[in-house]
Amino acid sequence: MIGIIDYGMGNLYSVSKALERLNYESIVSGNVDQLKKTKGLILPGVGSFKDAMHILNETGLSDFIREAVENGTPLLGICLGMQLLFDESEENGRTEGLRLLKGRVVRFPGTTSSGEAYKVPHMGWNRLYIRYPSPLFKNVEEGYVYFVHSYYVDSTDQEVVLASSTYDVEVPAVVGQNYLFGTQFHPEKSSSIGMNILKNYADLVARKENE
């Protein structure tokens, strides 16, 4: 059973429907006691980093997430949920994140080094480049996935950047360390590549449950 963390700011039901299509059970909950009974977690997210961290801190979910990761529970952050895994964000003023991975969330400049303006947010299909092997990439080939974001992770630990994309700057697209993972794009909206990555995460949860 995979717990989809509900803190009022996520694409919860599109993720749960995607898992249902893959024949994996999930629950959507913001209740820590319920989430503790699951074997893997997904932290989705859409919206403001500052607002999201305020809710996670107020509800005790931030402490629960840190403890779960420390205890080896698999967790997948999606979009804003991936950004929340890092140290801090500059969005709406400096806000401390979950501090599970090293790096800072910053806004796309909107202007290239040569002075040419480009559109922010980064929205639409962009190419995924795999940098390091990962259980998430089983039967996954490089191709296009779906992004919607105005901020990106400037990671100080390049070894956790498992795959990247380019939108004027290099964008960490998939991050991972031990059983902690994140995707900047929306796997549930990214056709076969995204669904394969989501399936691989669910398979990993199932394997760990059976250990």
Side-chain angles (χ1 to χ4, degrees):
M1 174 74 74
I2 294 174
I4 301 171
I5 301 171
D6 181 5
Y7 59 105
M9 295 186 64
N11 46 322
L12 305 168
Y13 292 99
S14 62
V15 175
S16 67
K17 286 293 184 186
L19 288 171
E20 185 180 321
R21 291 198 299 273
L22 292 169
N23 296 314
Y24 278 95
E25 286 186 275
S26 66
I27 61 165
V28 175
S29 178
N31 183 287
V32 168
D33 290 334
Q34 282 188 323
L35 292 168
K36 281 182 177 178
K37 296 175 183 176
T38 65
K39 300 302 180 182
L41 298 165
I42 293 180
L43 179 65
V46 175
S48 161
F49 189 107
K50 183 182 284 289
D51 292 345
M53 281 306 305
H54 175 75
I55 296 168
L56 291 176
N57 289 333
E58 287 291 307
T59 58
L61 284 166
S62 55
D63 288 337
F64 162 71
I65 291 167
R66 291 187 187 101
E67 183 179 346
V69 170
E70 185 177 336
N71 291 335
T73 301
L75 185 144
L76 173 67
I78 294 176
C79 196
L80 174 61
M82 182 191 108
Q83 295 179 1
L84 294 170
L85 304 178
F86 286 82
D87 289 324
E88 63 179 42
S89 173
E90 68 175 21
E91 185 178 2
N92 298 324
R94 180 188 173 278
T95 302
E96 187 173 296
L98 292 168
R99 302 184 70 85
L100 296 167
L101 296 171
K102 295 185 182 300
R104 187 164 185 261
V105 179
V106 298
R107 185 175 171 83
F108 284 107
T111 307
T112 67
S113 57
S114 61
E116 183 180 350
Y118 62 90
K119 183 181 176 182
V120 177
H122 173 206
M123 181 182 296
W125 296 85
N126 205 343
R127 189 170 180 83
L128 184 71
Y129 297 95
I130 295 173
R131 297 176 57 181
Y132 297 112
S134 167
L136 294 189
F137 299 147
K138 181 182 177 182
N139 298 322
V140 172
E141 296 182 0
E142 292 184 343
Y144 287 80
V145 292
Y146 190 79
F147 293 87
V148 183
H149 60 123
S150 298
Y151 291 77
Y152 70 99
V153 172
D154 183 11
S155 177
T156 57
D157 182 0
Q158 286 297 303
E159 289 187 1
V160 307
V161 181
L162 304 179
S164 62
S165 190
T166 303
Y167 192 66
D168 178 52
V169 295
E170 184 178 40
V171 176
V174 182
V175 297
Q177 186 177 73
N178 300 321
Y179 289 102
L180 177 63
F181 301 97
T183 64
Q184 181 62 73
F185 57 91
H186 290 270
E188 78 283 4
K189 297 179 181 178
S190 295
S191 192
S192 60
I193 291 176
M195 289 298 284
N196 275 336
I197 287 174
L198 200 57
K199 180 181 184 302
N200 289 335
Y201 174 71
D203 286 345
L204 181 149
V205 172
R207 287 196 302 273
K208 191 151 194 316
E209 183 176 0
N210 293 326
E211 286 179 355

